[in-house]
Amino acid sequence: MREAYDLLPVPLVLGIMIFGIVLVLAACAPTAWVDRAHKYIDKRRQNR
């Protein structure tokens, strides 16, 4: 049973790292799209 406890932290840490990366990408993606859309709208307004 001791081997199970020795192996537990590695997959747990990897899972938390992957979850953190996905969370950061999900949080940054909408702001990047909103920023691009805002720049596009401003560019269209300046051309008029």
Side-chain angles (χ1 to χ4, degrees):
M1 197 65 182
R2 188 169 181 98
E3 293 100 10
Y5 289 119
D6 289 340
L7 292 175
L8 182 63
V10 174
L12 186 63
V13 169
L14 288 174
I16 291 171
M17 287 172 60
I18 291 170
F19 179 72
I21 291 169
V22 169
L23 193 65
V24 166
L25 290 175
C28 292
T31 56
W33 284 107
V34 169
D35 189 43
R36 287 181 187 170
H38 186 65
K39 286 180 181 178
Y40 176 73
I41 291 169
D42 283 345
K43 193 173 181 182
R44 273 185 62 189
R45 283 185 183 170
Q46 288 176 356
N47 287 340
R48 287 184 178 188

